[in-house]
Amino acid sequence: MSTHAVGLIGGDGIGPEVVAEAVKVIEAAGVSLDTTSYDLGAERFIRTGEVLPQSVLDELRSLDAILLGAVGPPVGSTDVPSGTLERGLLLRLRFELDLYVNLRPFSGVPGAPAPDCDFVVVRENTEGTYAGEGGLLRRGTPFEVATQGSVNTRHGVERCVRFAFGLAAARPRHHVTLVHKTNVLNFSGDLWQRVVDEVAASNPEVSSDYNHVDATCIYLVEDPGRYDVIVTDNLFGDIITDLAGAIAGGIGYAASANLNPDRTGPSLFEPVHGAAHDIAGTGKANPAAAIRSAALMLDFLGESVAADKVFRAVADFIVSDPDPSLSTRAIGDAVAERL
């Protein structure tokens, strides 16, 4: 049996709690991990002024994968300037490790607005408005100018689109929907549409169509079953996946994978939810999203049988009408027992 070197970034708030349950479930699935824990997040920044030291980044590069819980200060805290962790840790990891695909699968749970939905969002993860292009002129004056550009390269768009079509080819419905705003963002939108058309022409087994992002928000609420694989840019992907999480049952179930499909470095897996400091230490955190993220990690590491077992165990637990008062640890135990 292979042993996988995995970095654990528990982070802040409920992050360490949900990561612990995810690791418990992985071990119950029979997968061997060689784990190293890393102290990163708001607490470290407040304590040391460091976000992601180069020495730690170098260590992370040598791993097979990274499992992250959540990072962020308590709501209202002024100890961590806005954007410090987002750009200094999360975005830096995406850029430095070339995690160019953000993969977010959504399958509904009982009681959700869309309990039968089953689709995947492929979000470009290293370009767009998150690339940092822009600046300020005459800051602090009545004539201040702020610009924030969206960086879209053919290389970046094409590799993301090709990943989406490859994913769709392996799913039963074989369908890709490009989500953008081509009628207004006529330069970046034109690039995305042309790339999708070109990739579609070389993948005739996969059908494709297009939706404006604002229309997509309506369709996700009224008819999410129309979607199979959505491919979109960084900003639109960030927004619509939060909405998708809500209609599928809440972000407590929403998993994500930041992938380097070329495997030139480790990929990073994390639940979509935040640090939720208000319930940290109370045992109220739902670890399902972290466990599902760990299953995505297993699948990417080649442990597809174990990954499928974990996904099924989580699904079985969810449909078993569990006691809503179950603690974080009890939920992890219940899923692990099913394995």
Side-chain angles (χ1 to χ4, degrees), residues 53-95:
Q54 185 62 45
S55 60
V56 175
L57 177 60
D58 291 340
E59 282 189 40
L60 292 173
R61 290 186 193 277
S62 67
L63 301 173
D64 297 320
I66 302 166
L67 183 62
L68 185 149
V71 296
V75 175
S77 170
T78 58
D79 294 327
V80 183
S82 178
T84 299
L85 297 177
E86 291 82 356
R87 289 211 164 272
L89 178 58
L90 300 178
L91 291 184
R92 188 180 177 199
L93 286 172
R94 293 176 189 178
F95 298 154

Side-chain angles (χ1 to χ4, degrees), residues 189-260:
D190 178 65
L191 173 59
W192 275 88
Q193 186 66 71
R194 283 187 287 112
V195 170
V196 166
D197 291 344
E198 292 168 12
V199 174
S202 60
N203 292 271
E205 74 282 10
V206 177
S207 60
S208 62
D209 65 358
Y210 170 81
N211 288 161
H212 288 324
V213 65
D214 45 340
T216 297
C217 291
I218 297 173
Y219 298 147
L220 282 172
V221 173
E222 295 183 346
D223 183 25
R226 69 189 294 147
Y227 293 119
D228 181 21
V229 175
I230 292 174
V231 64
T232 189
D233 83 344
N234 211 336
L235 178 59
F236 295 148
D238 194 1
I239 295 169
I240 66 172
T241 52
D242 280 0
L243 176 56
I247 63 105
I251 57 174
Y253 296 103
S256 75
N258 298 272
L259 301 179
N260 176 335

Side-chain angles (χ1 to χ4, degrees), residues 7-20 36-45 47 51 66-74 85 89-90 270-271 273-277 280:
L8 304 179
I9 303 175
D12 306 303
I14 64 171
E17 300 171 46
V18 298
V19 165
T36 303
S37 295
Y38 292 91
D39 175 23
L40 298 170
E43 289 186 10
R44 175 172 183 152
F45 176 79
R47 189 175 67 251
V51 179
I66 302 166
L67 183 62
L68 185 149
V71 296
L85 297 177
L89 178 58
L90 300 178
E270 60 177 324
H273 61 67
H277 286 269

